[in-house]
Amino acid sequence: VGATDLNTAALTKPLVSFLSDYGLSDEFVGVCHGVIIGRCPQATIIDITHMIPRQDVRTGALVLRAALPYVPAGVHLAVVDPTVGTGGENARRALALRTVAEDRILVGPDNGLLTPAVLRFGGAAEAVELSGSPERLTPTSRTFHGRDLFAPVAAALAAGAGLGDVGDPCAVEDIRPLALPHAEPRDGGLAVHVMLADSFGNLAIDGSVDELAAIGAGWGSEVAVRCRARTHRARMAEAFAEVEPGELVLYEDSWGMLGLAVNRGSAAELLGVGRDDELLLEAV
Amino acid sequence: VGATDLNTAALTKPLVSFLSDYGLSDEFVGVCHGVIIGRCPQATIIDITHMIPRQDVRTGALVLRAALPYVPAGVHLAVVDPTVGTGGENARRALALRTVAEDRILVGPDNGLLTPAVLRFGGAAEAVELSGSPERLTPTSRTFHGRDLFAPVAAALAAGAGLGDVGDPCAVEDIRPLALPHAEPRDGGLAVHVMLADSFGNLAIDGSVDELAAIGAGWGSEVAVRCRARTHRARMAEAFAEVEPGELVLYEDSWGMLGLAVNRGSAAELLGVGRDDELLLEAV
Amino acid sequence: VGATDLNTAALTKPLVSFLSDYGLSDEFVGVCHGVIIGRCPQATIIDITHMIPRQDVRTGALVLRAALPYVPAGVHLAVVDPTVGTGGENARRALALRTVAEDRILVGPDNGLLTPAVLRFGGAAEAVELSGSPERLTPTSRTFHGRDLFAPVAAALAAGAGLGDVGDPCAVEDIRPLALPHAEPRDGGLAVHVMLADSFGNLAIDGSVDELAAIGAGWGSEVAVRCRARTHRARMAEAFAEVEPGELVLYEDSWGMLGLAVNRGSAAELLGVGRDDELLLEAV
């Protein structure tokens, strides 16, 4: 974030960003917009995406973390909530929190979805639990908390309510973390993991350009990619277009993460890998 | 509606909600937005959904009725219009109307699409026919009335025009009804019907929790579901998560309608039923 | 455009329209919205469509040209950019320009995408090249110029910056044209071409109602459609509904272009044709 100069103007009106796995086939997103505009008519709503794979908290968390630095500070609503409606001990909490950096407000389920984004903005300075929020719609449905709880709370906060007005204080230490794999040096190479695959079969992997340099791989290098008992060759390049169609390329993606792609093809298909699979990279 | 407390703020700017079957693959929705903003630059547009199955007036009508209580009162544009461009005696009328409750304005074809929503808001207090509207774009295309007639009329109304400014008065009694099946007691059970199926295979059915109670079924009950010469067992539960994966559950959905679903599966597929099919429910 | 009376109100707030091939599965569109609102919080954003087939500059150009007359004059951002990230001599330029008519501002890659729309508004009065724009985000990614270059420039222009503030002047004569086929009389008939096919298999073709009249075909006429060594019969009609289901119809579409469609079917499939394929039309 620090390195990105966004030239932002001072926001003069309330902003709510919204990410979910609701999809666009049904009216769920539209109804949440209705609830938000009803509570905060001046809000500008930015739909980050609603096509997070259904119930995929991890992808939602990574996309939220990648996207928020480009969205002006405001209220950031995110709903990927596979255990909504589960009662008793398994019930997840519902949260609104304020980040240490930039005073961003995040609203969503306490299932790890918000955590990577919160860490990117210095952690949580303050948090409240929302289950008894005076802002929730009544009757409150068991399963559509986006509409009945999270959207009205987000809108109330955008309209100027304080965290203490919308929920009960809770300890920021108790916010649920999200387990993510970590790249590590191994056998002279770098063990990396597939963090997510996009709709074109491009893979986001952990590890960084610096970690690749430490194993002797730099721009233009050939890199061996070992997985599933096979070895592929990839070239480190600054752009897809620098390799031939069908070739594997290792690059820094537009989010500053490492990517593995096939020019005009699918790396996920070529390598036969998916989320959390491990790959060993070695300089050639 | 009366039971839902939406905590709405007073709307200080014009609002147009928009539902259609235009889909998102083409530029149709974007062009209608252009026309609306051109006529009423201050409008906030809420897209309820544009993924109503193509030409499916009934699904559009049910989704509109379910969604509007969560959308602030304003101008509500809806276009699912299979007979647009049909001339002569088969031509459907084009309407704008004001509801008895909440003074909502609805705009769309007179083919039953608006009717269930209008009834939810107490019926129509006043209606006008739009075919000669001074607000329509000229030339007016034969087939894209969303762009050329309905969007500019909705925008004009949002900008403050009265119904009488945009069309010719017509009798509210002549607004076309929408035929819907009705649940009814039969043979000690309750005959219900599939109103619509969502993209997950969850079925919305007619009938209510009260009607189920009248045949002896309450929360936690087992219910026999007879259809297509087979009998399935469903459990009445407050949430999907209360039944095992693969099991059939009968619940009150987030719209307050009865739903039949399979936890992590498709009830439409399991039962082999679709719209308007009849099911007989019996307490076990 | 001249013939369409849009009844537009004076725009009192900045407007950015946005067309791309980013699709809706990823967060790309949402992130660009974030950048735009960050730089110009008062902007109204109209998404024309983001479902242009991937890297299909020609379809993007035709849709932009068709849509813009219905979108109020403002800043019009368009990104279909297959050669983004290609360096050296193959690098395409990045442009912002002002049209002669209506003072519209268009922003996008200089690959022909903007050109048909620009010509519709009388050509370009003034243009600037954006590669060194002070408005671009830094670091600037190699591949996501929508986010890092085009969106912030569009937002700056919407916020009131002049063209000279966001790039370096360049000659309007150098703006890259877009090669399009042209209908022409041949052998007593009219040779036309498939300009694009929509998601229903309806074909937009070049040629006009006047050119059809010149070969003796008018409303109600039968027309022979010769292609791929076969001959089909089409009827010239003002609406789909005037021909039987399954029949081929030649009509003027809602954009004022000629269309070939099959009532409740796919003309692309029936004729076995796609983009740029030539058809010979003859009056029967």
Side-chain angles (χ1 to χ4, degrees), chain A:
Chain A
V1 185
T4 301
D5 169 13
L6 286 172
N7 280 330
T8 50
L11 273 180
T12 54
K13 51 187 301 205
L15 182 139
V16 177
S17 75
F18 186 13
L19 172 148
S20 79
D21 65 346
Y22 287 151
L24 300 173
S25 295
D26 299 293
E27 69 284 10
F28 306 142
V29 170
V31 163
C32 291
H33 278 230
V35 170
I36 293 168
I37 294 297
R39 181 67 178 80
C40 182
Q42 300 306 325
T44 293
I45 304 175
I46 293 177
D47 292 295
I48 296 178
T49 181
H50 298 288
M51 299 292 277
I52 298 296
R54 197 166 161 75
Q55 306 200 340
D56 183 347
V57 172
R58 158 110 148 247
T59 296
L62 292 176
V63 171
L64 188 68
R65 176 177 72 177
L68 281 197
Y70 295 93
V71 176
V75 178
H76 307 293
L77 168 63
V79 187
V80 180
D81 197 8
T83 61
V84 64
T86 310
E89 291 184 6
N90 295 320
R92 58 92 188 111
R93 300 187 305 170
L95 292 181
L97 57 84
R98 186 170 53 77
T99 62
V100 169
E102 299 192 15
D103 280 339
R104 287 171 184 259
I105 305 287
L106 278 76
V107 178
D110 183 26
N111 59 10
L113 176 67
L114 310 179
T115 315
V118 169
L119 292 174
R120 187 157 203 160
F121 294 102
E126 185 187 1
V128 295
E129 206 281 323
L130 303 173
S131 59
S133 177
E135 295 290 341
R136 73 188 189 283
L137 304 193
T138 49
T140 308
S141 68
R142 285 282 296 260
T143 55
F144 196 176
H145 286 193
R147 177 191 67 191
D148 296 342
L149 179 59
F150 296 120
V153 163
L157 292 165
L163 283 179
D165 301 324
V166 302
D168 299 313
C170 64
V172 298
E173 296 76 22
D174 294 343
I175 296 174
R176 196 168 151 183
L178 185 75
L180 291 173
H182 287 289
E184 54 181 13
R186 185 182 308 159
D187 305 333
L190 184 68
V192 297
H193 308 84
V194 177
M195 306 298 284
L196 51 85
D198 74 12
S199 52
F200 304 107
N202 302 330
L203 306 173
I205 59 177
D206 56 2
S208 64
V209 170
D210 287 349
E211 288 171 298
L212 283 172
I215 63 161
W219 299 123
S221 296
E222 293 271 313
V223 175
V225 179
R226 300 190 193 281
C227 67
R228 302 194 170 281
R230 294 183 59 193
T231 302
H232 302 264
R233 284 290 171 96
R235 188 132 68 89
M236 278 190 68
E238 290 192 55
F240 279 34
E242 294 178 17
V243 304
E244 296 298 309
E247 271 196 278
L248 198 59
V249 55
L250 187 60
Y251 62 103
E252 194 173 35
D253 73 14
S254 59
W255 302 117
M257 297 174 72
L258 281 184
L260 253 178
V262 170
N263 191 7
R264 305 197 194 166
S266 163
E269 209 170 281
L270 176 71
L271 301 176
V273 296
R275 179 182 307 181
D276 280 350
D277 283 339
E278 189 170 279
L279 310 168
L280 187 65
L281 306 182
E282 295 172 348
V284 180

Side-chain angles (χ1 to χ4, degrees), chain B residues 13 22 24-31 33-35 37-43 54 84-86 134-139 141-144 147-148, chain C residues 3-13 15 24 44 46-52 63 66-67 70-72 198-200 238-239 241-242 254-255:
Chain B
K13 51 186 303 205
Y22 288 152
L24 299 172
S25 296
D26 299 292
E27 69 283 10
F28 307 142
V29 171
V31 163
H33 278 231
V35 169
I37 295 297
R39 181 68 178 80
C40 182
Q42 300 306 327
R54 197 166 160 75
V84 63
T86 309
E135 295 291 340
R136 74 187 189 283
L137 305 193
T138 50
S141 68
R142 284 282 296 259
T143 55
F144 197 176
R147 178 191 69 191
D148 295 342
Chain C
T4 301
D5 168 14
L6 286 172
N7 281 329
T8 51
L11 273 180
T12 55
K13 50 186 304 207
L15 182 140
L24 299 172
T44 293
I46 293 177
D47 292 296
I48 296 177
T49 181
H50 298 288
M51 299 291 278
I52 299 296
V63 171
Y70 295 93
V71 175
D198 74 12
S199 53
F200 303 107
E238 290 192 54
E242 294 178 18
S254 58
W255 301 119

Side-chain angles (χ1 to χ4, degrees), chain C residues 14-60:
Chain C
L15 182 140
V16 177
S17 75
F18 186 12
L19 171 149
S20 78
D21 66 346
Y22 287 151
L24 299 172
S25 295
D26 299 292
E27 69 284 10
F28 307 142
V29 170
V31 164
C32 291
H33 278 231
V35 170
I36 293 168
I37 295 297
R39 182 67 179 79
C40 182
Q42 300 306 326
T44 293
I45 303 175
I46 293 177
D47 292 296
I48 296 177
T49 181
H50 298 288
M51 299 291 278
I52 299 296
R54 197 167 160 74
Q55 306 201 338
D56 183 347
V57 173
R58 157 107 152 250
T59 296

Side-chain angles (χ1 to χ4, degrees), chain C residues 15-225:
Chain C
L15 182 140
V16 177
S17 75
F18 186 12
L19 171 149
S20 78
D21 66 346
Y22 287 151
L24 299 172
S25 295
D26 299 292
E27 69 284 10
F28 307 142
V29 170
V31 164
C32 291
H33 278 231
V35 170
I36 293 168
I37 295 297
R39 182 67 179 79
C40 182
Q42 300 306 326
T44 293
I45 303 175
I46 293 177
D47 292 296
I48 296 177
T49 181
H50 298 288
M51 299 291 278
I52 299 296
R54 197 167 160 74
Q55 306 201 338
D56 183 347
V57 173
R58 157 107 152 250
T59 296
L62 293 175
V63 171
L64 187 68
R65 177 177 70 178
L68 281 197
Y70 295 93
V71 175
V75 178
H76 308 292
L77 169 63
V79 187
V80 180
D81 197 8
T83 61
V84 64
T86 309
E89 292 183 5
N90 296 319
R92 58 93 187 108
R93 300 188 304 172
L95 292 181
L97 57 84
R98 186 169 53 76
T99 61
V100 168
E102 299 191 16
D103 278 338
R104 288 172 184 258
I105 305 286
L106 278 77
V107 178
D110 181 26
N111 59 11
L113 175 67
L114 310 179
T115 315
V118 169
L119 292 174
R120 188 158 201 157
F121 293 102
E126 186 187 0
V128 295
E129 205 281 324
L130 302 172
S131 58
S133 177
E135 294 291 339
R136 73 188 190 281
L137 306 192
T138 51
T140 308
S141 68
R142 284 282 297 260
T143 55
F144 197 175
H145 285 193
R147 177 191 69 192
D148 296 342
L149 179 59
F150 295 120
V153 163
L157 292 165
L163 283 180
D165 300 325
V166 301
D168 299 313
C170 63
V172 298
E173 296 75 23
D174 294 343
I175 297 173
R176 196 168 150 183
L178 186 75
L180 291 173
H182 287 288
E184 53 179 16
R186 185 182 307 159
D187 304 333
L190 183 68
V192 298
H193 307 85
V194 177
M195 305 301 283
L196 50 85
D198 74 12
S199 53
F200 303 107
N202 302 330
L203 306 174
I205 59 178
D206 55 3
S208 65
V209 170
D210 287 348
E211 288 171 298
L212 284 172
I215 63 162
W219 300 121
S221 296
E222 293 271 314
V223 175
V225 179

